[in-house]
Amino acid sequence: MTSYFETRPIGTNPGGISRRGFLKAGGIGAMMLASGMQTAFAASAYPARPISVIVPYSPGGQGDLFARILSEPLAALLGQSVVVENRPGATGMLGTRNVIRSGADGYTALLGQTGEIAIIPSANKDAGYDTLNDLQPVALVGDSPLVIIAPAKASFSTPAELVSQAKDRQGGLAYASSGTATPGHLAAAAMTLETQTDMVHVPYKGAGQAMTDVIGGQVDFFFSSASAAMPHIKAGTVKAIAVASLERMGALPDVPTLNETIVPGFNYSLWGGYFLPKKTPADIVQRLNQDVNALLARPEIRERLEADGAAVRQNSSDEFLQFVEQEIAKYRKVIDTLGIKIG
């Protein structure tokens, strides 16, 4: 019988691995353990220096507003400065690429929005990134429904009347957008598909020009952001026809949704949230998610976001990921159906 304490020649082991191989394997294991400990230490020590939040558009837009409302209180929670940097260019692609290439250490975040996150990679073959492969969703900050507005003197006042006139008028109605493959363009295109109407797309170079021509009556309607539409609705220079969310807006309680009138399930909005490069340590993603949600629970911050027409709801990083996946699929369907391409 072989004893458990049987001596073996030096340089061998129960698994038959040589002493050199055994030590080598042990060394690899030690390196992996050390690497894991370093990653865990880095995450637990996070943040050790200031954090940059990249807004891939010029100052003044919704994403810029979201980032700046949260920057100071987020810095207080993290114990480090949170610096908002505007890096506009290429319809949001430039700033997005900068974040992806910054390194997955949690020190450069993106305040990403509907366009560059859910639309551009499907519509532009030269985008240079894939949202789900290159970015890690952290937390949704706000979700602002699009609002259909029309000239104050438009002959239609309800979604049903809009569709009826589009079908009756030779050539259909003309709708404005702030550019091809923008959320407003694709929302209007989706409505034309769902209602089987013939409408003419008139793209502008920005929402300001589109709004001017809606007010002047040069175009029939415009899927506008709620924040941009509200001052003109209150002033009476345009009228709100419908809201593109599943539920009515608190700021426009008398304006129906497309969901409840002509297109069940219709839901198009402008949203913004925090993203980090893919492969950022899970502990860092979780830390930022928790801190952002803690801020969204504060009444004063919620009120500031809601004043801009944004719906605010707390969410985990997994829930935000599912939301982003659904948004990408929704817009891709419209883009592929109509063959919309930019770039």
Side-chain angles (χ1 to χ4, degrees):
M1 174 180 291
T2 303
S3 168
Y4 180 80
F5 296 100
E6 178 185 12
T7 59
R8 287 179 169 81
I10 294 176
T12 65
N13 60 75
I17 304 176
S18 68
R19 178 180 176 84
R20 180 177 297 175
F22 184 76
L23 293 174
K24 183 178 180 181
I28 293 173
M31 291 174 62
M32 293 175 65
L33 178 60
S35 176
M37 290 175 65
Q38 288 173 358
T39 300
F41 176 78
S44 65
Y46 175 86
R49 62 178 190 271
I51 296 169
S52 296
V53 176
I54 305 301
V55 177
Y57 294 99
S58 300
Q62 176 179 271
D64 185 64
L65 177 70
F66 287 177
R68 294 185 187 280
I69 286 176
L70 294 183
S71 61
E72 288 189 11
L74 184 58
L77 287 181
L78 292 170
Q80 290 287 346
S81 298
V82 175
V83 182
V84 178
E85 300 180 30
N86 296 90
R87 296 188 185 178
T91 60
M93 290 185 287
L94 182 61
T96 302
R97 292 172 190 151
N98 286 341
V99 172
I100 291 170
R101 295 167 183 167
S102 67
D105 56 9
Y107 288 96
T108 305
L110 173 73
L111 199 299
Q113 299 172 88
T114 313
E116 65 274 14
I117 297 298
I119 296 173
I120 295 297
S122 295
N124 191 333
K125 60 180 175 56
D126 297 322
Y129 62 91
D130 178 275
T131 297
L132 297 178
N133 288 333
D134 296 323
L135 289 168
Q136 168 63 54
V138 176
L140 177 68
V141 174
D143 191 2
S144 180
L146 293 170
V147 180
I148 301 179
I149 57 173
K153 296 182 179 179
S155 56
F156 55 88
S157 299
T158 68
E161 291 173 353
L162 184 157
V163 171
S164 177
Q165 289 199 24
K167 291 182 176 180
D168 293 342
R169 186 188 298 183
Q170 183 69 29
L173 300 180
Y175 65 89
S177 82
S178 56
T180 300
T182 55
H185 169 212
L186 297 179
M191 186 179 72
T192 65
L193 290 172
E194 294 287 350
T195 58
Q196 298 182 347
T197 50
D198 183 18
M199 302 191 196
V200 179
H201 175 218
V202 183
Y204 289 82
K205 293 182 179 179
Q209 294 179 358
M211 185 67 73
T212 297
D213 276 8
V214 173
I215 294 171
Q218 279 74 40
V219 287
D220 295 300
F221 68 93
F222 173 38
F223 272 81
S224 170
S225 68
S227 59
M230 288 303 296
H232 301 287
I233 294 171
K234 291 178 179 178
T237 54
V238 300
K239 58 182 175 180
I241 306 300
V243 177
S245 54
L246 296 177
E247 298 179 353
R248 294 192 183 196
M249 282 184 62
L252 297 170
D254 297 326
V255 179
T257 66
L258 290 177
N259 171 53
E260 69 186 273
T261 53
I262 59 173
V263 189
F266 197 91
N267 186 24
Y268 283 79
S269 63
L270 297 176
W271 49 264
Y274 288 99
F275 293 80
L276 289 169
K278 203 74 169 181
K279 297 183 179 180
T280 298
D283 286 354
I284 292 177
V285 174
Q286 180 67 11
R287 170 71 190 277
L288 282 178
N289 176 271
Q290 289 178 344
D291 285 352
V292 170
N293 277 301
L295 297 180
L296 297 181
R298 294 183 183 179
E300 69 276 15
I301 292 178
R302 180 180 292 271
E303 288 171 6
R304 290 183 66 186
L305 293 170
E306 290 178 344
D308 195 55
V312 180
R313 58 182 183 273
Q314 293 180 299
N315 57 105
S316 68
S317 58
D318 285 342
E319 289 171 336
F320 188 28
L321 171 60
Q322 292 172 9
F323 173 82
V324 171
E325 290 173 338
Q326 292 167 0
E327 287 288 288
I328 291 173
K330 177 177 69 180
Y331 282 107
R332 182 175 291 158
K333 181 178 179 180
V334 179
I335 290 168
D336 291 346
T337 300
L338 298 178
I340 297 170
K341 296 295 179 186
I342 55 176

